[in-house]
PDB file of all heavy atoms in Angstrom:
ATOM      1  N   GLU V   1      -5.501  -0.199  -7.693  1.00  0.00           N
ATOM      2  CA  GLU V   1      -5.914   0.663  -8.817  1.00  0.00           C
ATOM      3  C   GLU V   1      -4.709   0.770  -9.759  1.00  0.00           C
ATOM      4  O   GLU V   1      -3.699   1.363  -9.415  1.00  0.00           O
ATOM      5  CB  GLU V   1      -6.364   2.015  -8.284  1.00  0.00           C
ATOM      6  CG  GLU V   1      -6.707   3.001  -9.353  1.00  0.00           C
ATOM      7  CD  GLU V   1      -6.972   4.348  -8.772  1.00  0.00           C
ATOM      8  OE1 GLU V   1      -6.960   4.555  -7.555  1.00  0.00           O
ATOM      9  OE2 GLU V   1      -7.083   5.301  -9.600  1.00  0.00           O
ATOM     10  N   MET V   2      -4.879   0.243 -11.007  1.00  0.00           N
ATOM     11  CA  MET V   2      -3.845   0.386 -11.998  1.00  0.00           C
ATOM     12  C   MET V   2      -3.967   1.769 -12.547  1.00  0.00           C
ATOM     13  O   MET V   2      -5.031   2.177 -13.045  1.00  0.00           O
ATOM     14  CB  MET V   2      -4.002  -0.688 -13.081  1.00  0.00           C
ATOM     15  CG  MET V   2      -3.957  -2.142 -12.590  1.00  0.00           C
ATOM     16  SD  MET V   2      -2.463  -2.476 -11.558  1.00  0.00           S
ATOM     17  CE  MET V   2      -1.123  -2.121 -12.682  1.00  0.00           C
ATOM     18  N   THR V   3      -2.922   2.585 -12.497  1.00  0.00           N
ATOM     19  CA  THR V   3      -2.967   3.938 -12.901  1.00  0.00           C
ATOM     20  C   THR V   3      -2.199   4.247 -14.191  1.00  0.00           C
ATOM     21  O   THR V   3      -2.265   5.321 -14.669  1.00  0.00           O
ATOM     22  CB  THR V   3      -2.385   4.905 -11.763  1.00  0.00           C
ATOM     23  OG1 THR V   3      -1.024   4.447 -11.500  1.00  0.00           O
ATOM     24  CG2 THR V   3      -3.175   4.871 -10.525  1.00  0.00           C
ATOM     25  N   GLY V   4      -1.619   3.193 -14.677  1.00  0.00           N
ATOM     26  CA  GLY V   4      -0.951   3.335 -16.040  1.00  0.00           C
ATOM     27  C   GLY V   4      -0.333   2.056 -16.351  1.00  0.00           C
ATOM     28  O   GLY V   4      -0.488   1.038 -15.606  1.00  0.00           O
ATOM     29  N   PRO V   5       0.408   1.967 -17.527  1.00  0.00           N
ATOM     30  CA  PRO V   5       0.965   0.721 -17.919  1.00  0.00           C
ATOM     31  C   PRO V   5       2.046   0.211 -16.941  1.00  0.00           C
ATOM     32  O   PRO V   5       2.286  -1.009 -16.949  1.00  0.00           O
ATOM     33  CB  PRO V   5       1.499   0.963 -19.315  1.00  0.00           C
ATOM     34  CG  PRO V   5       1.637   2.487 -19.455  1.00  0.00           C
ATOM     35  CD  PRO V   5       0.647   2.963 -18.413  1.00  0.00           C
ATOM     36  N   LYS V   6       2.711   1.000 -16.244  1.00  0.00           N
ATOM     37  CA  LYS V   6       3.712   0.607 -15.270  1.00  0.00           C
ATOM     38  C   LYS V   6       3.577   1.375 -13.904  1.00  0.00           C
ATOM     39  O   LYS V   6       4.581   1.759 -13.343  1.00  0.00           O
ATOM     40  CB  LYS V   6       5.098   0.886 -15.858  1.00  0.00           C
ATOM     41  CG  LYS V   6       5.389   0.037 -17.151  1.00  0.00           C
ATOM     42  CD  LYS V   6       6.805   0.284 -17.615  1.00  0.00           C
ATOM     43  CE  LYS V   6       7.066  -0.595 -18.834  1.00  0.00           C
ATOM     44  NZ  LYS V   6       8.458  -0.510 -19.284  1.00  0.00           N
ATOM     45  N   SER V   7       2.348   1.456 -13.522  1.00  0.00           N
ATOM     46  CA  SER V   7       2.124   2.093 -12.185  1.00  0.00           C
ATOM     47  C   SER V   7       0.850   1.642 -11.571  1.00  0.00           C
ATOM     48  O   SER V   7      -0.084   1.267 -12.276  1.00  0.00           O
ATOM     49  CB  SER V   7       2.148   3.647 -12.385  1.00  0.00           C
ATOM     50  OG  SER V   7       1.143   4.075 -13.239  1.00  0.00           O
ATOM     51  N   ALA V   8       0.740   1.768 -10.256  1.00  0.00           N
ATOM     52  CA  ALA V   8      -0.455   1.391  -9.565  1.00  0.00           C
ATOM     53  C   ALA V   8      -0.492   2.166  -8.240  1.00  0.00           C
ATOM     54  O   ALA V   8       0.461   2.570  -7.688  1.00  0.00           O
ATOM     55  CB  ALA V   8      -0.460  -0.139  -9.341  1.00  0.00           C
ATOM     56  N   LEU V   9      -1.730   2.172  -7.652  1.00  0.00           N
ATOM     57  CA  LEU V   9      -1.984   2.624  -6.364  1.00  0.00           C
ATOM     58  C   LEU V   9      -2.577   1.462  -5.555  1.00  0.00           C
ATOM     59  O   LEU V   9      -3.422   0.762  -6.027  1.00  0.00           O
ATOM     60  CB  LEU V   9      -3.005   3.757  -6.319  1.00  0.00           C
ATOM     61  CG  LEU V   9      -2.550   5.188  -6.807  1.00  0.00           C
ATOM     62  CD1 LEU V   9      -3.684   6.159  -6.749  1.00  0.00           C
ATOM     63  CD2 LEU V   9      -1.369   5.698  -5.947  1.00  0.00           C
ATOM     64  N   LEU V  10      -2.065   1.176  -4.387  1.00  0.00           N
ATOM     65  CA  LEU V  10      -2.695   0.245  -3.492  1.00  0.00           C
ATOM     66  C   LEU V  10      -3.320   0.991  -2.363  1.00  0.00           C
ATOM     67  O   LEU V  10      -2.593   1.605  -1.583  1.00  0.00           O
ATOM     68  CB  LEU V  10      -1.679  -0.770  -2.928  1.00  0.00           C
ATOM     69  CG  LEU V  10      -1.393  -1.940  -3.905  1.00  0.00           C
ATOM     70  CD1 LEU V  10      -0.530  -1.416  -5.148  1.00  0.00           C
ATOM     71  CD2 LEU V  10      -0.734  -3.092  -3.280  1.00  0.00           C
ATOM     72  N   HIS V  11      -4.633   1.022  -2.274  1.00  0.00           N
ATOM     73  CA  HIS V  11      -5.377   1.794  -1.185  1.00  0.00           C
ATOM     74  C   HIS V  11      -5.476   0.898   0.034  1.00  0.00           C
ATOM     75  O   HIS V  11      -5.892  -0.311  -0.139  1.00  0.00           O
ATOM     76  CB  HIS V  11      -6.682   2.228  -1.751  1.00  0.00           C
ATOM     77  CG  HIS V  11      -6.618   3.073  -2.943  1.00  0.00           C
ATOM     78  ND1 HIS V  11      -6.501   4.417  -2.852  1.00  0.00           N
ATOM     79  CD2 HIS V  11      -6.563   2.790  -4.224  1.00  0.00           C
ATOM     80  CE1 HIS V  11      -6.404   4.956  -4.036  1.00  0.00           C
ATOM     81  NE2 HIS V  11      -6.541   3.972  -4.913  1.00  0.00           N
ATOM     82  N   PHE V  12      -5.310   1.427   1.176  1.00  0.00           N
ATOM     83  CA  PHE V  12      -5.450   0.682   2.434  1.00  0.00           C
ATOM     84  C   PHE V  12      -6.398   1.384   3.411  1.00  0.00           C
ATOM     85  O   PHE V  12      -6.322   2.552   3.579  1.00  0.00           O
ATOM     86  CB  PHE V  12      -4.158   0.539   3.173  1.00  0.00           C
ATOM     87  CG  PHE V  12      -3.121  -0.256   2.466  1.00  0.00           C
ATOM     88  CD1 PHE V  12      -2.141   0.350   1.685  1.00  0.00           C
ATOM     89  CD2 PHE V  12      -3.030  -1.654   2.593  1.00  0.00           C
ATOM     90  CE1 PHE V  12      -1.198  -0.398   0.989  1.00  0.00           C
ATOM     91  CE2 PHE V  12      -2.091  -2.386   1.936  1.00  0.00           C
ATOM     92  CZ  PHE V  12      -1.130  -1.835   1.129  1.00  0.00           C
ATOM     93  N   VAL V  13      -7.356   0.647   3.953  1.00  0.00           N
ATOM     94  CA  VAL V  13      -8.165   1.139   5.008  1.00  0.00           C
ATOM     95  C   VAL V  13      -8.085   0.199   6.113  1.00  0.00           C
ATOM     96  O   VAL V  13      -8.204  -1.044   6.118  1.00  0.00           O
ATOM     97  CB  VAL V  13      -9.692   1.258   4.592  1.00  0.00           C
ATOM     98  CG1 VAL V  13     -10.600   1.626   5.703  1.00  0.00           C
ATOM     99  CG2 VAL V  13      -9.761   2.194   3.414  1.00  0.00           C
ATOM    100  N   ASP V  14      -7.847   0.595   7.371  1.00  0.00           N
ATOM    101  CA  ASP V  14      -7.674  -0.160   8.529  1.00  0.00           C
ATOM    102  C   ASP V  14      -6.604  -1.204   8.383  1.00  0.00           C
ATOM    103  O   ASP V  14      -6.823  -2.446   8.717  1.00  0.00           O
ATOM    104  CB  ASP V  14      -9.050  -0.730   8.985  1.00  0.00           C
ATOM    105  CG  ASP V  14     -10.068   0.271   9.406  1.00  0.00           C
ATOM    106  OD1 ASP V  14      -9.580   1.368   9.830  1.00  0.00           O
ATOM    107  OD2 ASP V  14     -11.258  -0.024   9.307  1.00  0.00           O
ATOM    108  N   GLU V  15      -5.446  -0.777   7.854  1.00  0.00           N
ATOM    109  CA  GLU V  15      -4.293  -1.723   7.680  1.00  0.00           C
ATOM    110  C   GLU V  15      -3.412  -1.567   8.916  1.00  0.00           C
ATOM    111  O   GLU V  15      -2.843  -0.552   9.017  1.00  0.00           O
ATOM    112  CB  GLU V  15      -3.501  -1.354   6.433  1.00  0.00           C
ATOM    113  CG  GLU V  15      -2.238  -2.189   6.252  1.00  0.00           C
ATOM    114  CD  GLU V  15      -2.471  -3.613   6.302  1.00  0.00           C
ATOM    115  OE1 GLU V  15      -3.224  -4.183   5.434  1.00  0.00           O
ATOM    116  OE2 GLU V  15      -1.864  -4.212   7.146  1.00  0.00           O
ATOM    117  N   TYR V  16      -3.393  -2.564   9.836  1.00  0.00           N
ATOM    118  CA  TYR V  16      -2.630  -2.456  11.046  1.00  0.00           C
ATOM    119  C   TYR V  16      -1.199  -2.863  11.045  1.00  0.00           C
ATOM    120  O   TYR V  16      -0.482  -2.744  11.894  1.00  0.00           O
ATOM    121  CB  TYR V  16      -3.439  -3.163  12.106  1.00  0.00           C
ATOM    122  CG  TYR V  16      -4.828  -2.728  12.256  1.00  0.00           C
ATOM    123  CD1 TYR V  16      -5.952  -3.529  11.954  1.00  0.00           C
ATOM    124  CD2 TYR V  16      -5.082  -1.367  12.572  1.00  0.00           C
ATOM    125  CE1 TYR V  16      -7.253  -2.960  12.042  1.00  0.00           C
ATOM    126  CE2 TYR V  16      -6.311  -0.854  12.648  1.00  0.00           C
ATOM    127  CZ  TYR V  16      -7.371  -1.640  12.352  1.00  0.00           C
ATOM    128  OH  TYR V  16      -8.683  -1.151  12.413  1.00  0.00           O
ATOM    129  N   VAL V  17      -0.812  -3.479   9.906  1.00  0.00           N
ATOM    130  CA  VAL V  17       0.683  -3.684   9.653  1.00  0.00           C
ATOM    131  C   VAL V  17       1.244  -2.446   9.011  1.00  0.00           C
ATOM    132  O   VAL V  17       0.645  -1.850   8.119  1.00  0.00           O
ATOM    133  CB  VAL V  17       0.839  -4.941   8.766  1.00  0.00           C
ATOM    134  CG1 VAL V  17       2.373  -5.211   8.523  1.00  0.00           C
ATOM    135  CG2 VAL V  17       0.218  -6.224   9.455  1.00  0.00           C
ATOM    136  N   TRP V  18       2.346  -2.066   9.534  1.00  0.00           N
ATOM    137  CA  TRP V  18       2.971  -0.725   9.253  1.00  0.00           C
ATOM    138  C   TRP V  18       3.107  -0.574   7.670  1.00  0.00           C
ATOM    139  O   TRP V  18       3.906  -1.094   7.069  1.00  0.00           O
ATOM    140  CB  TRP V  18       4.387  -0.693   9.878  1.00  0.00           C
ATOM    141  CG  TRP V  18       4.333  -0.814  11.349  1.00  0.00           C
ATOM    142  CD1 TRP V  18       4.191   0.053  12.254  1.00  0.00           C
ATOM    143  CD2 TRP V  18       4.299  -2.095  12.113  1.00  0.00           C
ATOM    144  NE1 TRP V  18       4.209  -0.448  13.527  1.00  0.00           N
ATOM    145  CE2 TRP V  18       4.306  -1.796  13.421  1.00  0.00           C
ATOM    146  CE3 TRP V  18       4.475  -3.403  11.726  1.00  0.00           C
ATOM    147  CZ2 TRP V  18       4.301  -2.727  14.445  1.00  0.00           C
ATOM    148  CZ3 TRP V  18       4.502  -4.400  12.675  1.00  0.00           C
ATOM    149  CH2 TRP V  18       4.371  -3.959  14.100  1.00  0.00           C
ATOM    150  N   ILE V  19       2.288   0.375   7.247  1.00  0.00           N
ATOM    151  CA  ILE V  19       2.172   0.685   5.802  1.00  0.00           C
ATOM    152  C   ILE V  19       3.516   1.225   5.285  1.00  0.00           C
ATOM    153  O   ILE V  19       4.038   0.802   4.251  1.00  0.00           O
ATOM    154  CB  ILE V  19       0.985   1.719   5.494  1.00  0.00           C
ATOM    155  CG1 ILE V  19      -0.342   1.025   5.850  1.00  0.00           C
ATOM    156  CG2 ILE V  19       1.082   2.144   3.978  1.00  0.00           C
ATOM    157  CD1 ILE V  19      -1.534   2.056   5.835  1.00  0.00           C
ATOM    158  N   GLU V  20       4.141   2.185   5.979  1.00  0.00           N
ATOM    159  CA  GLU V  20       5.222   2.957   5.579  1.00  0.00           C
ATOM    160  C   GLU V  20       6.491   2.094   5.652  1.00  0.00           C
ATOM    161  O   GLU V  20       7.526   2.500   5.012  1.00  0.00           O
ATOM    162  CB  GLU V  20       5.409   4.211   6.316  1.00  0.00           C
ATOM    163  CG  GLU V  20       5.802   4.132   7.783  1.00  0.00           C
ATOM    164  CD  GLU V  20       4.660   3.809   8.724  1.00  0.00           C
ATOM    165  OE1 GLU V  20       3.610   3.230   8.356  1.00  0.00           O
ATOM    166  OE2 GLU V  20       4.870   4.206   9.905  1.00  0.00           O
ATOM    167  N   HIS V  21       6.517   1.028   6.338  1.00  0.00           N
ATOM    168  CA  HIS V  21       7.709   0.163   6.499  1.00  0.00           C
ATOM    169  C   HIS V  21       7.410  -1.188   5.882  1.00  0.00           C
ATOM    170  O   HIS V  21       8.071  -1.634   4.846  1.00  0.00           O
ATOM    171  CB  HIS V  21       8.070  -0.020   7.911  1.00  0.00           C
ATOM    172  CG  HIS V  21       8.470   1.270   8.506  1.00  0.00           C
ATOM    173  ND1 HIS V  21       9.543   2.077   8.228  1.00  0.00           N
ATOM    174  CD2 HIS V  21       7.897   1.870   9.644  1.00  0.00           C
ATOM    175  CE1 HIS V  21       9.552   3.142   8.904  1.00  0.00           C
ATOM    176  NE2 HIS V  21       8.554   3.102   9.755  1.00  0.00           N
ATOM    177  N   SER V  22       6.491  -1.970   6.421  1.00  0.00           N
ATOM    178  CA  SER V  22       6.237  -3.314   5.990  1.00  0.00           C
ATOM    179  C   SER V  22       5.604  -3.356   4.573  1.00  0.00           C
ATOM    180  O   SER V  22       6.090  -4.123   3.746  1.00  0.00           O
ATOM    181  CB  SER V  22       5.342  -4.051   7.042  1.00  0.00           C
ATOM    182  OG  SER V  22       5.980  -4.034   8.337  1.00  0.00           O
ATOM    183  N   GLN V  23       4.545  -2.640   4.438  1.00  0.00           N
ATOM    184  CA  GLN V  23       3.855  -2.799   3.145  1.00  0.00           C
ATOM    185  C   GLN V  23       4.622  -2.230   2.040  1.00  0.00           C
ATOM    186  O   GLN V  23       4.672  -2.923   0.849  1.00  0.00           O
ATOM    187  CB  GLN V  23       2.437  -2.072   3.217  1.00  0.00           C
ATOM    188  CG  GLN V  23       1.501  -2.735   4.181  1.00  0.00           C
ATOM    189  CD  GLN V  23       1.085  -4.237   3.833  1.00  0.00           C
ATOM    190  OE1 GLN V  23       1.543  -4.768   2.781  1.00  0.00           O
ATOM    191  NE2 GLN V  23       0.403  -4.752   4.700  1.00  0.00           N
ATOM    192  N   VAL V  24       5.355  -1.095   2.156  1.00  0.00           N
ATOM    193  CA  VAL V  24       6.230  -0.581   1.144  1.00  0.00           C
ATOM    194  C   VAL V  24       7.245  -1.617   0.689  1.00  0.00           C
ATOM    195  O   VAL V  24       7.427  -1.847  -0.488  1.00  0.00           O
ATOM    196  CB  VAL V  24       6.908   0.700   1.525  1.00  0.00           C
ATOM    197  CG1 VAL V  24       8.084   1.129   0.572  1.00  0.00           C
ATOM    198  CG2 VAL V  24       5.898   1.861   1.601  1.00  0.00           C
ATOM    199  N   SER V  25       7.901  -2.241   1.728  1.00  0.00           N
ATOM    200  CA  SER V  25       8.968  -3.195   1.435  1.00  0.00           C
ATOM    201  C   SER V  25       8.370  -4.484   0.867  1.00  0.00           C
ATOM    202  O   SER V  25       8.969  -5.155  -0.041  1.00  0.00           O
ATOM    203  CB  SER V  25       9.681  -3.453   2.640  1.00  0.00           C
ATOM    204  OG  SER V  25      10.382  -2.336   3.051  1.00  0.00           O
ATOM    205  N   GLY V  26       7.318  -4.944   1.318  1.00  0.00           N
ATOM    206  CA  GLY V  26       6.667  -6.150   0.786  1.00  0.00           C
ATOM    207  C   GLY V  26       6.231  -6.002  -0.636  1.00  0.00           C
ATOM    208  O   GLY V  26       6.526  -6.889  -1.476  1.00  0.00           O
TER     209      GLY V  26
END
């Protein structure tokens, strides 16, 4: 979800790879 010209939200449901470590860094 693009929330502005330089911002976004990526929503995850049933994401089994570590969101707070792996996905943030990726």
Side-chain angles (χ1 to χ4, degrees):
E1 175 187 353
M2 300 309 300
T3 57
K6 294 183 179 186
S7 62
L9 289 175
L10 278 74
H11 300 272
F12 294 97
V13 175
D14 296 333
E15 173 56 60
Y16 301 117
V17 176
W18 302 271
I19 296 170
E20 70 277 26
H21 301 295
S22 302
Q23 297 295 358
V24 165
S25 296

